[in-house]
Amino acid sequence: MTKHRRTPMALAAAAAAALLAGCSFIPTYERPQPPVPPTYAGGVATTDSAAAQSGATVPWQNYFAEPRLQQLIDIALANNRDLRVAMLNIEQARATYQVRRADLYPGVGLAANASRAPATGTGNLTNSFSVGLAVSAWEIDFFGRIASLKEQALAQYLATEEGRSAAQVSLVAAVANGWLTLLADEELLDLSRQTLASREESVRLTRMRLDAGVASELDFRQAESLTQAARATLAQQQRQRALDENALVLLLGQALPQDVRASLAGGKLADAPAMAPLPAGVPSELLTRRPDIRQAEQQLIGANANIGAARAAFFPRISLTAQAGTASGELSGLFKNGSWGFTIAPSLLLPIFDAGRNQANLDSARVGREIAVAQYEKAIQTAFREVSDALAGQATLGEQAQAQQQQAQAEAARLQLADLRYRNGVASYLDLLDAQRSLFTAQQAVVQVRLAQLQNQVSLYKALGGGAPDTSAQAPS
């Protein structure tokens, strides 16, 4: 190993390398304009930005005040496998970013070499031994290629963080909807059992009237048919209730707790605590509220950084190999005075002909950015539609629920009158059966509309970005 002294030229080259390392070909990032109207349809959105922001950032614990529902959401956040995968994706993206960042620095290792070869001129075999610290092919990032790749990895990491937040928002909303669906199932089952019991009693009374010669066999068969229809509806609802529970168990990642299962019996949607109204604000505020939109923007930033790496590939790539240590022709001569030294071997590779590979990579990176722009705009449009749909439901479901309740009351009064008229021989038994059918249908509709109203509130909370963890995405240390 030969010895060299540090020269002014070497120092100047090192300083120039440090200055040029800050060069970057990443295009200046500009956020695309939101491709949506400035306000939601119908003018139902508030323009109070502060109120809208506070409504969107209401913690799920405050919005879903039902203790059993809070227990289920806690279980899901701890055990749901999709959310667990999203969290592991963050760790993977963090490791990838660390790899890209490490590429900016030289890797130093312990190098030991031993060789035996003919000497030049004499042909005699000679030995050579060396031990020292070595830097192998460290690329000096003059034109920002590695820095661009590091920025792309950082953006991907931040996008994965936002993806986890989006998964949590969806999970909280899905558990809430699953819980409300189970409450509706229990209420419908209770209604079906009551209806079946009432119709079985009607069959018994009709049979007695038939035996007494007061009613016809047609009346008896009609009552029996209606009873079997109620029994079939009960079986269908029992099956649907089991399917809905299975869906909720999948979200929880474990079986439904026994105390929660026991408390469901006889539950009603009317017992569910009311959810606070949420101001929607204006569409532009969704850019900072919705984690899926922030995720799409980070992916766009990463695609933009890829262009910088593709541009830098057109310029020379400079690498440095160096070693400092001790060398000797005899193994026993290592580490003796006079055997120490260092070598530096810079190399430069300037692309001249690559069959269009670099240009194709640059074209691919530019198209990738355009794809990311389209995906970002699609995320905004999807968010706009979801909020608009929830607002439309908020404006009409309340009126529908009130009208449905009044219809059920009217059908109940109609049934009483039809029963009275039948007993007095004024109306036919067919009128009584039709009144029973109509009341059962109206009562089912009341439950279903109430469920739709509550689930619409959950949808609005989710559409506004509620339920996301209160974290700010930062570069990993």
Side-chain angles (χ1 to χ4, degrees):
M1 181 180 293
T2 59
K3 295 183 289 183
H4 299 278
R5 294 181 179 179
R6 192 179 300 272
T7 64
M9 182 177 295
L11 294 174
L19 291 174
L20 288 174
C23 181
S24 175
F25 291 104
I26 300 177
T28 302
Y29 173 73
E30 295 181 1
R31 175 185 287 176
Q33 290 297 319
V36 293
T39 58
Y40 297 106
V44 292
T46 179
T47 57
D48 186 350
S49 176
Q53 188 69 14
S54 62
T57 55
V58 173
W60 65 262
Q61 295 90 339
N62 296 342
Y63 191 70
F64 302 110
E66 216 284 339
R68 293 172 297 177
L69 176 54
Q70 290 185 347
Q71 178 184 354
L72 294 181
I73 293 177
D74 280 329
I75 292 174
L77 292 177
N79 297 282
N80 182 265
R81 297 315 190 265
D82 289 334
L83 188 60
R84 186 173 299 177
V85 169
M87 296 177 67
L88 292 174
N89 285 337
I90 294 176
E91 297 304 317
Q92 188 177 46
R94 183 198 303 271
T96 301
Y97 169 75
Q98 297 288 3
V99 170
R100 290 300 186 189
R101 189 174 68 170
D103 288 341
L104 290 170
Y105 303 96
V108 180
L110 177 64
N113 298 299
S115 64
R116 181 177 177 85
T120 303
T122 65
N124 296 329
L125 295 177
T126 59
N127 299 326
S128 176
F129 302 93
S130 65
V131 176
L133 299 178
V135 175
S136 177
W138 169 45
E139 181 179 346
I140 304 176
D141 197 25
F142 279 1
F143 302 101
R145 189 186 72 86
I146 298 177
S148 297
L149 293 176
K150 186 199 74 169
E151 291 301 317
Q152 188 276 335
L154 174 60
Q156 184 60 43
Y157 164 76
L158 297 178
T160 309
E161 278 273 17
E162 298 297 352
R164 187 279 309 266
S165 299
Q168 177 169 321
V169 170
S170 297
L171 179 60
V172 169
V175 172
N177 283 330
W179 167 254
L180 294 172
T181 300
L182 280 186
L183 287 179
D185 289 339
E186 289 291 337
E187 192 168 353
L188 289 172
L189 279 172
D190 186 56
L191 178 60
S192 295
R193 293 188 185 101
Q194 294 176 9
T195 301
L196 178 59
S198 175
R199 290 181 180 177
E200 287 177 340
E201 178 65 15
S202 179
V203 168
R204 188 185 69 82
L205 294 176
T206 305
R207 182 68 186 183
M208 293 175 58
R209 291 169 63 87
L210 175 63
D211 293 341
V214 179
S216 65
E217 185 175 357
L218 177 61
D219 292 344
F220 173 73
R221 295 305 178 187
Q222 288 174 333
E224 189 178 34
S225 175
L226 206 59
T227 301
Q228 296 303 326
R231 183 171 286 109
T233 300
L234 176 61
Q236 178 184 3
Q237 290 175 348
Q238 287 173 332
R239 181 175 66 255
Q240 186 60 50
R241 198 264 183 221
L243 295 178
D244 291 336
E245 180 176 338
N246 292 340
L248 183 58
V249 166
L250 179 61
L251 293 173
L252 298 181
Q254 68 174 49
L256 199 64
Q258 288 299 327
D259 58 335
V260 176
R261 181 193 293 275
S263 66
L264 278 171
K268 292 185 177 181
L269 286 175
D271 299 334
M275 304 175 199
L278 293 177
V282 294
S284 61
E285 293 170 347
L286 289 177
L287 303 183
T288 57
R289 292 186 207 161
R290 296 257 308 210
D292 57 337
I293 295 180
R294 298 197 300 265
Q295 179 186 16
E297 184 173 14
Q298 288 298 333
Q299 290 170 341
L300 173 56
I301 293 173
N304 196 61
N306 267 339
I307 295 178
R311 286 177 173 175
F314 286 89
F315 293 84
R317 187 175 300 182
I318 300 176
S319 300
L320 181 65
T321 299
Q323 185 170 348
T326 177
S328 174
E330 299 292 338
L331 187 60
S332 60
L334 292 175
F335 307 107
K336 289 185 177 180
N337 291 334
S339 64
W340 298 92
F342 68 89
T343 62
I344 297 179
S347 64
L348 181 147
L349 176 62
L350 176 64
I352 297 177
F353 175 76
D354 61 3
R357 180 182 291 106
N358 286 339
Q359 184 60 48
N361 284 334
L362 179 57
D363 293 341
S364 175
R366 287 171 173 166
V367 173
R369 180 178 62 180
E370 295 304 315
I371 293 174
V373 169
Q375 291 172 336
Y376 173 68
E377 293 175 342
K378 175 66 180 298
I380 296 175
Q381 291 174 337
T382 300
F384 179 85
R385 179 201 169 177
E386 290 176 354
V387 176
S388 297
D389 288 349
L391 292 174
Q394 189 179 58
T396 57
L397 281 170
E399 296 179 3
Q400 183 180 354
Q402 183 179 3
Q404 203 70 57
Q405 183 65 42
Q406 292 176 351
Q407 181 186 4
Q409 294 172 356
E411 291 294 346
R414 176 192 169 196
L415 177 60
Q416 292 179 349
L417 293 175
D419 183 61
L420 181 62
R421 286 167 60 84
Y422 173 70
R423 293 178 184 276
N424 291 327
V426 179
S428 66
Y429 191 65
L430 184 60
D431 293 337
L432 177 61
L433 296 181
D434 182 66
Q436 289 178 343
R437 266 194 310 266
S438 298
L439 176 59
F440 183 47
T441 302
Q443 289 174 330
Q444 287 180 312
V446 168
V447 177
Q448 292 166 350
V449 172
R450 176 60 177 164
L451 174 62
Q453 188 178 20
L454 292 173
Q455 289 184 333
N456 183 76
Q457 292 178 269
V458 175
S459 297
L460 180 59
Y461 181 70
K462 174 188 174 185
L464 292 175
D470 185 16
T471 58
S472 56
Q474 297 178 356
S477 57

